[in-house]
Amino acid sequence: MSAVFERNALPAMQTSHCHTPLNNYRMGLLSVFFVCLFFSSAFAVDRGNFKTCDQSAFCKRQRAFKPGQSPYRALLETLELSDSRLTLQLINDNNKVHLLLELYRLQGNMTRVKINELKPLKPRFEVPDVLIAEPPTEPLSVLSKDDNGVVLSLGAESQRLIVSARPFRLDIMEGPEVLLSLNSRGLLAFEHLRLRKDTQAQPEGAEVKESVDGDQQQDEGKKDEDEESNKEEDGLWEETFKSHTDTKPNGPTSISLDFSLPGVEHVYGIPEHADDLKLKTTDGGDPYRLYNLDVFQYELYNPMALYGSIPVMLAHNTQRTMGIFWLNAAETWVDISSNTAGKTVFGKMLDFVQGSSEKPQTDVRWISESGIIDVFIMLGPKPSDVFSQYASLTGTQSFPPLASLGYHQCRWNYNDQEDVKSVDQGFDQHDIPYDFIWLDIEHADGKRYFTWDPHKFSQPKEMLQGLMDKKRKMVAIVDPHIKVDSGYKIHNEITSKDFYVKNKDGGNYEGWCWPGNSGYPDFTNPEMRAWWASMFAYDQYEGSMENLFTWNDMNEPSVFNGPEVTMHKDALHGKWEHRDIHNMYGLYVQMATAEGQIQRSGGAERPFVLTRAFFAGSQRFGAVWTGDNAAEWDHLKISIPMCLSLGLVGVSFCGADVGGFFKNPSTELLVRWYQTGAYQPFFRAHAHLDTTRREPWLFGPENTALIREAVRQRYALLPYWYQLFFQAYRTGMPVMRPLWVDYPKDTATFTIDDEFLIGSDLLVHPVTEEGSRGVTAYLPGAGEVWYDVHTFQKHNGAQNLYIPVTLSSIPVFQRGGSIIPRKDRVRRSSACMENDPYTLYVALSPKKFAEGKLYIDDGHSFNYDTKKEFIHRSLTFANNALTSSNLCPDCNFLTSSWIEKVLILGASKPSKVVLKMNGKETPVDFEFDSSMSVLTLRKPGMNAGDDWTLLLQ
């Protein structure tokens, strides 16, 4: 939840036993002052709390440079080539600072480019723990070299990397086509570490230049020795925003590099932003900002930073998909410009008619405050190739417990154990399934995490056992700000082990958050993470049981009285400043929490951890949600592109608060949100403390029935969702994805973000307009067909289809050529459905073909990985035969589930149907609906794990 003042949520004033009454009084005044100062607005973000590029000194400096002649030159005589890398020195001819360029050809059609100072005053930060391993390399070879540059082979057919010397520039080519260029606009800038003019000490051998790299495009004659003192107001050594001063002991350290993408008009990714799927150009406005922040009730359709940052951009056209991964955890801004921006469709047609030779091009510029340039260029060429390339670097989406793909019921806050019991019973009384009920910050004793309120939650194990008896689970919040209280075990242990983040003066960094005065554990320290993980052990986390899981909120980190509601950049994590690691903090919190859940079971059970803040690699540790949205139609709409953007960069397990966190939704909005959320990967309803209660049965029987139906549709499709998450874990393919991923040559799909695919086989167009009587869905695929999953009506692909809707409508279509397993006997929770039978929905293509997969395991342990205990079946319909074959012959798992029914859409009527299994042939009962061409096979009776064939004769 965002930091917003609540009459019931004032932090406790007493933060330790040694405070005098006068101190308590002052602390109370301070809390009211801070909360009112930063969060006085109850209805919209206060933009004044957050920087624009002009208010961020390094962004303003870097953005002031315009494209032009780069001062950087490659010193070809320094070139060294080994089996794994090429190194080459660059020199800035304006200030004579030398940089070191490293080039790597990586396995899987990727290129890595690193640029650092050749001899920095001290080491610059390089991001650890994000890459799953050092990426394996392949040999580079020099094809040619002269005074102007060097041409390298990238191994793939006709792929070359050209290093131009003066000015320095990199071009990646395939045949005659330039795929991507670096520094083609001359915007490489690398602010080197330096000493202040009044500092005498200087490490031996280090290069120290007094000029600021920011003057790279000035004439050399304009550099005078008083330059730095004249630029103090530019925030080189100190910067003030509102009442906060950022001391900068290392001075200016920012970096910048531009990339040009010829032939590209569409770029995506760099979440998190509340914006369209296709990224906009930033000319005339702010760049997209990547800086994890607690933004109260965020605005839509702008480039402001939000809770998470993944510095990955995808570029797509009809010929190729590529990716750029900018591995830097500091505050980052991304500028996008395009030579086709602003042109209307008519204008583009006019260019074509008039024979305009201008090729579309998108230019991207990355600017980061510190660290080094470390960029991975993923060359595709297919969308699936880019996903596997990125997954090979940062890992795939963790394979979640099956129950976490069910429905989650949450609120800030369920009042006490009786409230939890009542809500749990309400779901049973109204026949609505759910798997998890959640507890927010009020469940803990004075917001001391890992504890329970002794009055409201005095018997947590009794409460958890009651849920376990119904095969349900609970999530409790554990935030990373720790109440400074000498009577609190967690605080005392962190203090004694010296695990807190330090302030610039070396003391423990403290800031204001929900408990009042709080310390912030240094999760960058592996010893701290190991200790944190140990706190989830059942003998440490009192009252916890195996069906209690965790939610990490406020982990940007949120600091109510900090600059931009976060931690001061000059705070210290060991030898590194917070400015270097900021965007990784939330990843480390989730990493340590997930590890704690794994360890508590002896490594046997899969974790479930939800995080608000995230970075590249966060997909390895659990789920993400889009933060504190509002009960407004536009927030419902924006949930689709926000989750699509996350899926494109590795995070498949994404969802939005159903109903909106702030404000009270209309009944229509609430119903539509359930219908949308039921078809998004993470399905949780959540609400603010001050909203009216909104359990699904509180809006009259008609609306209860509509919500029940949406939730039941989710549960029936759990086998399909589970198979897709297994695929995501194996391959990196997104679960919820834009249409262009599966139809990469169909330009009509490139900007669609009001509908989406779940896997390759389900297309969903939620109703997100108030009072809507119809929607127009684009069904892709010339020569393909799509079947309405509710009516089985068949529609041709490559058309815009108008669909009349009522409040009960959820437009969903199954692709012809696919087979989707479902469990149509929906029970109170996913675990209750474990042994229930399957129904196979076989949607035939025009060529009477279909294929799909079925995946089954125990739903919760790591046995699928450690013992190969799972079933993975290939389902194929061809030549009038439906066949199940084993995709993993050496796997070993038994299931009680059987095939109860098979529906074949687009079928012809057979004279008979025969089951071939174990050398025997058995007749199967069937019905045929000639009006819809649907063949239904009833109770064929095969075990879901067996080999079999159904013959239509």
Side-chain angles (χ1 to χ4, degrees):
M1 72 198 68
S2 288
V4 54
F5 177 62
E6 292 302 333
R7 62 176 182 270
N8 297 323
L10 261 177
M13 301 313 168
Q14 189 167 349
T15 57
S16 77
H17 294 307
C18 62
H19 277 136
T20 63
L22 179 58
N23 283 337
N24 288 340
Y25 174 71
R26 287 172 176 165
M27 294 285 284
L29 289 179
L30 194 62
S31 71
V32 175
F33 169 74
F34 282 135
V35 178
C36 291
L37 177 65
F38 288 98
F39 310 106
S40 55
S41 168
F43 298 104
V45 64
D46 182 354
R47 283 172 172 260
N49 285 334
F50 305 104
K51 290 182 180 179
T52 63
C53 179
D54 275 350
Q55 293 169 315
S56 180
F58 78 92
C59 183
K60 183 178 181 180
R61 277 198 312 276
Q62 293 277 12
R63 214 182 188 204
F65 310 146
K66 303 304 178 188
Q69 184 81 354
S70 174
Y72 288 94
R73 173 166 53 93
L75 302 176
L76 295 179
E77 65 275 15
T78 66
L79 186 149
E80 294 183 14
L81 183 63
S82 69
D83 285 344
S84 62
R85 69 171 184 167
L86 176 147
T87 61
L88 184 65
Q89 289 183 34
L90 309 178
I91 186 171
N92 182 333
D93 280 331
N94 285 352
N95 61 20
K96 309 308 179 189
V97 171
H98 286 243
L99 303 178
L100 179 66
L101 168 72
E102 298 175 73
L103 296 176
Y104 301 82
R105 175 184 160 213
L106 303 182
Q107 289 181 13
N109 204 20
M110 294 181 286
T111 299
R112 184 180 192 179
V113 180
K114 293 180 74 172
I115 303 176
N116 198 352
E117 295 182 54
L118 180 65
K119 296 179 180 179
L121 280 173
K122 60 182 180 179
R124 296 178 67 114
F125 184 71
E126 299 187 39
V127 173
D129 301 316
V130 168
L131 302 179
I132 55 175
E134 193 61 27
T137 60
E138 294 184 337
L140 279 167
S141 59
V142 174
L143 297 177
S144 64
K145 179 183 176 186
D146 59 23
D147 290 343
N148 297 315
V150 59
V151 180
L152 304 163
S153 170
L154 289 178
E157 185 179 349
S158 71
Q159 273 192 6
R160 305 180 309 287
L161 175 60
I162 301 173
V163 183
S164 300
R166 188 171 198 148
F168 165 68
R169 168 178 171 151
L170 293 178
D171 292 279
I172 296 178
M173 302 190 68
E174 187 169 88
E177 297 291 321
V178 177
L179 302 181
L180 177 143
S181 302
L182 284 72
N183 201 37
S184 59
R185 296 190 298 151
L187 293 172
L188 168 63
F190 206 104
E191 292 184 334
H192 60 280
L193 292 167
R194 70 207 72 196
L195 298 173
R196 295 191 77 156
K197 295 190 68 177
D198 56 358
T199 305
Q200 299 302 316
Q202 177 176 328
E204 187 175 345
E207 287 192 77
V208 183
K209 304 293 181 181
E210 297 231 344
S211 64
V212 178
D213 300 37
D215 289 293
Q216 55 167 314
Q217 292 175 332
Q218 295 183 2
D219 293 332
E220 289 187 53
K222 291 184 179 179
K223 295 185 297 172
D224 61 49
E225 60 186 28
D226 294 324
E227 185 179 78
E228 288 195 25
S229 60
N230 293 339
K231 290 207 170 246
E232 279 298 321
E233 68 275 10
D234 288 349
L236 299 177
W237 294 94
E238 188 173 277
E239 183 176 352
T240 299
F241 178 67
K242 302 187 78 170
S243 60
H244 300 282
T245 297
D246 175 18
T247 64
K248 298 184 177 182
N250 295 319
T253 57
S254 68
I255 55 176
S256 169
L257 183 60
D258 64 277
F259 300 78
S260 293
L261 298 158
V264 169
E265 292 184 75
H266 298 85
V267 290
Y268 311 90
I270 57 170
E272 185 177 35
H273 300 98
D275 210 344
D276 296 324
L277 175 65
K278 176 184 180 290
L279 296 170
K280 301 182 177 75
T281 59
T282 57
D283 300 330
D286 256 14
Y288 284 96
R289 191 184 189 198
L290 295 173
Y291 190 59
N292 295 1
L293 292 172
D294 180 358
V295 182
F296 165 62
Q297 198 162 339
Y298 50 85
E299 288 184 11
L300 308 184
Y301 305 107
N302 70 47
M304 288 178 67
L306 287 178
Y307 311 99
S309 302
I310 301 181
V312 177
M313 180 181 289
L314 273 63
H316 178 73
N317 60 24
T318 56
Q319 303 304 310
R320 179 180 293 269
T321 308
M322 296 185 293
I324 299 171
F325 173 26
W326 178 267
L327 183 52
N328 190 294
E331 179 184 348
T332 297
W333 300 78
V334 185
D335 254 326
I336 302 170
S337 57
S338 168
N339 62 0
T340 59
K343 283 191 178 180
T344 62
V345 173
F346 176 76
K348 292 178 183 179
M349 288 176 60
L350 194 63
D351 284 349
F352 178 77
V353 170
Q354 294 175 346
S356 171
S357 61
E358 183 179 35
K359 185 177 184 178
Q361 178 167 306
T362 296
D363 297 311
V364 181
R365 184 186 189 191
W366 299 76
I367 304 168
S368 292
E369 185 175 13
S370 64
I372 68 166
I373 291 173
D374 190 0
V375 62
F376 297 82
I377 299 162
M378 301 171 285
L379 293 172
K382 300 192 299 291
S384 58
D385 295 326
V386 174
F387 300 137
S388 64
Q389 287 158 0
Y390 181 63
S392 74
L393 297 173
T394 67
T396 58
Q397 175 67 59
S398 60
F399 189 31
L402 174 60
S404 65
L405 301 179
Y407 173 64
H408 300 251
Q409 182 67 33
C410 185
R411 179 177 181 79
W412 177 26
N413 204 88
Y414 285 117
N415 299 324
D416 50 32
Q417 287 180 216
E418 280 304 309
D419 198 7
V420 169
K421 185 176 181 180
S422 174
V423 171
D424 176 69
Q425 291 173 343
F427 278 90
D428 293 336
Q429 291 164 4
H430 295 91
D431 195 23
I432 301 173
Y434 90 96
D435 269 87
F436 283 82
I437 191 164
W438 292 51
L439 296 179
D440 211 318
I441 56 177
E442 312 302 333
H443 85 277
D445 181 9
K447 302 180 180 65
R448 299 169 181 87
Y449 306 110
F450 298 100
T451 71
W452 304 86
D453 185 293
H455 306 292
K456 297 179 179 180
F457 295 93
S458 59
Q459 302 294 327
K461 285 194 173 182
E462 179 183 301
M463 174 178 62
L464 289 165
Q465 187 61 52
L467 293 170
M468 189 179 290
D469 292 344
K470 294 184 176 182
K471 298 190 175 181
R472 287 173 175 156
K473 298 170 175 60
M474 174 172 276
V475 170
I477 200 165
V478 178
D479 286 349
H481 49 261
I482 302 301
K483 184 179 179 66
V484 175
D485 177 359
S486 60
Y488 179 23
K489 181 187 80 168
I490 298 292
H491 166 67
N492 289 340
E493 289 202 31
I494 295 174
T495 302
S496 68
K497 296 175 184 295
D498 200 26
F499 282 161
Y500 276 125
V501 176
K502 303 301 179 185
N503 61 35
K504 63 183 177 63
D505 300 316
N508 287 343
Y509 178 91
E510 294 182 0
W512 210 259
C513 211
W514 293 123
N517 197 36
S518 302
Y520 290 79
D522 185 0
F523 285 90
T524 69
N525 181 347
E527 293 181 9
M528 164 60 210
R529 295 198 301 273
W531 175 84
W532 180 268
S534 73
M535 289 299 100
F536 288 90
Y538 298 123
D539 62 352
Q540 294 292 327
Y541 191 167
E542 189 175 344
S544 65
M545 292 174 56
E546 56 266 35
N547 64 333
L548 179 67
F549 296 83
T550 312
W551 168 20
N552 294 145
D553 197 0
M554 315 297 285
N555 54 337
E556 293 75 28
S558 180
V559 183
F560 293 173
N561 60 331
E564 300 193 88
V565 202
T566 193
M567 189 172 285
H568 293 71
K569 287 181 176 179
D570 54 10
L572 295 172
H573 302 260
K575 66 179 180 178
W576 301 112
E577 287 189 290
H578 185 71
R579 83 180 71 252
D580 298 314
I581 67 94
H582 175 85
N583 286 342
M584 296 180 68
Y585 189 85
L587 173 142
Y588 277 131
V589 175
Q590 189 185 25
M591 176 193 293
T593 302
E595 183 58 30
Q597 287 189 11
I598 294 169
Q599 286 181 11
R600 73 180 184 179
S601 68
E605 297 296 313
R606 286 176 247 170
F608 172 71
V609 183
L610 179 73
T611 183
R612 189 171 72 176
F614 51 85
F615 189 62
S618 287
Q619 69 271 12
R620 304 198 300 266
F621 308 111
V624 163
W625 94 107
T626 62
D628 296 339
N629 58 3
E632 297 172 356
W633 287 93
D634 279 349
H635 276 264
L636 168 59
K637 292 174 196 172
I638 208 74
S639 71
I640 299 173
M642 289 182 77
C643 279
L644 288 174
S645 295
L646 280 160
L648 289 176
V649 297
V651 181
S652 272
F653 207 176
C654 169
D657 287 345
V658 169
F661 178 67
F662 291 112
K663 305 183 181 180
N664 294 302
S666 67
T667 301
E668 180 190 4
L669 175 57
L670 184 64
V671 169
R672 291 300 191 200
W673 214 317
Y674 269 98
Q675 293 171 343
T676 303
Y679 287 92
Q680 293 177 341
F682 177 56
F683 184 24
R684 180 185 77 153
H686 186 34
H688 187 277
L689 188 72
D690 274 355
T691 60
T692 55
R693 293 291 286 253
R694 59 167 90 139
E695 283 71 41
W697 51 87
L698 297 178
F699 300 87
E702 291 183 4
N703 295 304
T704 300
L706 294 171
I707 293 172
R708 178 190 302 117
E709 175 58 24
V711 178
R712 289 175 66 87
Q713 286 184 32
R714 170 56 165 242
Y715 275 77
L717 279 168
L718 281 179
Y720 182 61
W721 282 105
Y722 200 45
Q723 150 67 26
L724 291 176
F725 269 92
F726 182 70
Q727 180 191 39
Y729 163 72
R730 281 268 183 100
T731 68
M733 283 295 289
V735 172
M736 175 183 174
R737 59 183 77 153
L739 274 60
W740 65 259
V741 167
D742 285 84
Y743 298 89
K745 294 186 180 299
D746 185 350
T747 57
T749 67
F750 292 1
T751 59
I752 291 176
D753 60 9
D754 58 354
E755 64 183 71
F756 52 90
L757 292 169
I758 303 171
S760 297
D761 300 337
L762 281 184
L763 184 150
V764 186
H765 191 304
V767 181
T768 58
E769 294 282 349
E770 185 175 12
S772 178
R773 296 185 178 183
V775 298
T776 299
Y778 180 70
L779 303 180
E784 295 193 25
V785 293
W786 294 85
Y787 297 86
D788 185 311
V789 301
H790 309 297
T791 67
F792 304 142
Q793 186 172 353
K794 183 168 67 175
H795 303 280
N796 290 327
Q799 68 155 322
N800 287 299
L801 178 69
Y802 179 77
I803 308 157
V805 299
T806 65
L807 193 54
S808 65
S809 304
I810 314 176
V812 182
F813 300 87
Q814 183 174 343
R815 183 180 60 83
S818 67
I819 301 174
I820 292 180
R822 293 171 45 140
K823 284 192 173 184
D824 287 335
R825 297 187 190 182
V826 175
R827 303 186 192 274
R828 65 161 54 127
S829 73
S830 61
C832 293
M833 299 164 61
E834 178 181 4
N835 297 315
D836 282 349
Y838 291 91
T839 296
L840 303 181
Y841 287 74
V842 182
L844 297 184
S845 71
K847 295 182 178 180
K848 304 300 181 183
F849 175 81
E851 60 184 343
K853 292 184 175 66
L854 175 63
Y855 176 85
I856 308 170
D857 65 15
D858 64 20
H860 58 86
S861 79
F862 283 110
N863 289 352
Y864 72 91
D865 183 47
T866 57
K867 300 180 180 179
K868 282 200 163 185
E869 291 184 0
F870 64 88
I871 293 167
H872 201 197
R873 310 291 304 179
S874 172
L875 305 169
T876 306
F877 186 97
N879 303 316
N880 283 323
L882 177 61
T883 302
S884 173
S885 56
N886 196 350
L887 287 170
C888 188
D890 59 338
C891 291
N892 179 33
F893 187 73
L894 299 177
T895 179
S896 300
S897 295
W898 52 288
I899 308 301
E900 178 180 40
K901 189 189 298 185
V902 178
L903 276 75
I904 304 177
L905 315 182
S908 302
K909 184 177 181 179
S911 58
K912 66 177 180 178
V913 178
V914 174
L915 170 65
K916 288 185 65 175
M917 187 174 172
N918 298 326
K920 299 179 180 178
E921 293 191 3
T922 308
V924 175
D925 292 338
F926 67 90
E927 296 175 2
F928 183 71
D929 182 344
S930 58
S931 66
M932 299 303 295
S933 298
V934 176
L935 177 66
T936 303
L937 313 182
R938 298 195 179 279
K939 297 185 178 179
M942 313 80 78
N943 184 279
D946 287 345
D947 292 341
W948 49 263
T949 299
L950 284 166
L951 296 173
L952 278 58
Q953 298 174 344

